[in-house]
Amino acid sequence: MKTILVVDDEPRTREGIRKSLEAWAAGRYKIITAESGVEALKWLEANAASLLITDIRMPEMGGLDLVERVKAMEHPPVVIIISGHPEFDYAQKALQFGVLEYLLKPLDKTKLVQAVELALKREENIHRVERMERLVDPKLMETVRQGKPYGAQVHEAIQFLDNHLHEPVSMRDIADHLHMNASYFSVLFKEQTGLTFSEYLTRRRVQRAKELLSGTRQTIAEISDQVGYQTAKYFVKVFRSIEGMSPGQYRKSIAHSEETIQ
């Protein structure tokens, strides 16, 4: 269950927000409160929150100081600032810290709920992007970011590979498919992608394996077969050389991130 942390040194405001959000959430979210920035920071150091709603003026540690500290965390929550004063400087600094919304007291319940719904959608999008970044191979992405479009032959070769990752495809197989000399194809592929054919194929297979590890419950042996390796033992060796961990460890790390980021 996702958590929303409400921070305000005024008991009436703090409890008012909590009750309003609990009525709106109807058990879908856990609403936690803290009466100071110091208490909130201590809680966040040991727990995860999807959304932080904090007053801007509080003793000991103000809302902006809290946000600045929280932003340095590995998975910071999305932030909504509330204030009894429409100070331009505060609002400007809040935006610089990436604060999603700046709400003025007295709080309108409808606007509060709208801001919370928007913030939680933002958090989901951030989570989705982080998850996709963990799936994508940076070197494969770099071949796309170079900005140079692939020639027709290399483009066709990549499409052929994607459709035959489950088979023991060789560079000669691709060259024959394209009716090209294997040596010429090798040079052309490296020139346009920045990777040798062998490295590209290995990284593409590992990336596909990561997608299957995170999105299915198939066994390591089944995934090994689907990405073109004849033995699971060799697949594990190749996967570890690219990712620095075994397929099983990768799957556990993905499952853990699903539990903790949210």
Side-chain angles (χ1 to χ4, degrees), residues 165-204:
L165 283 176
H166 60 288
E167 301 174 9
V169 182
S170 69
M171 186 175 67
R172 185 168 294 279
D173 293 331
I174 301 287
D176 289 344
H177 173 74
L178 297 172
H179 307 292
M180 293 177 64
N181 175 275
S183 297
Y184 175 68
F185 170 72
S186 175
V187 172
L188 185 68
F189 191 89
K190 174 70 184 299
E191 184 180 84
Q192 292 191 20
T193 67
L195 300 172
T196 66
F197 174 82
S198 176
E199 186 177 7
Y200 185 96
L201 176 58
T202 298
R203 288 185 172 276
R204 185 64 190 89

Side-chain angles (χ1 to χ4, degrees), residues 222-238:
E222 289 171 336
I223 292 173
S224 169
D225 184 63
Q226 284 201 40
V227 297
Y229 289 99
Q230 295 182 342
T231 69
K233 184 177 180 180
Y234 184 62
F235 163 63
V236 170
K237 180 180 178 181
V238 172

Side-chain angles (χ1 to χ4, degrees), residues 60-121:
E60 294 185 88
M61 179 184 292
L64 290 181
D65 292 331
L66 173 61
V67 172
E68 189 173 12
R69 297 282 293 275
V70 165
K71 284 298 178 183
M73 294 179 173
E74 186 176 2
H75 298 295
V78 178
V79 179
I80 293 174
I81 288 284
I82 55 177
S83 175
H85 310 276
E87 295 103 334
F88 176 75
D89 288 345
Y90 277 163
Q92 188 178 44
K93 194 168 184 181
L95 290 173
Q96 289 173 351
F97 285 151
V99 171
L100 184 64
E101 187 68 78
Y102 190 99
L103 300 176
L104 292 176
K105 297 177 182 179
L107 294 173
D108 180 287
K109 291 183 180 180
T110 300
K111 288 183 178 179
L112 172 64
V113 168
Q114 288 175 343
V116 167
E117 289 175 339
L118 179 62
L120 290 171
K121 285 181 181 178

Side-chain angles (χ1 to χ4, degrees), residues 8-39:
D8 198 307
D9 61 315
E10 298 177 8
R12 184 177 177 181
T13 302
R14 186 172 66 246
E15 287 304 300
I17 295 173
R18 181 184 64 78
K19 289 178 181 178
S20 295
L21 292 183
E22 283 183 346
W24 160 79
R28 293 173 299 161
Y29 302 97
K30 183 186 294 184
I31 315 299
I32 301 295
T33 63
E35 61 184 34
S36 71
V38 173
E39 181 184 340

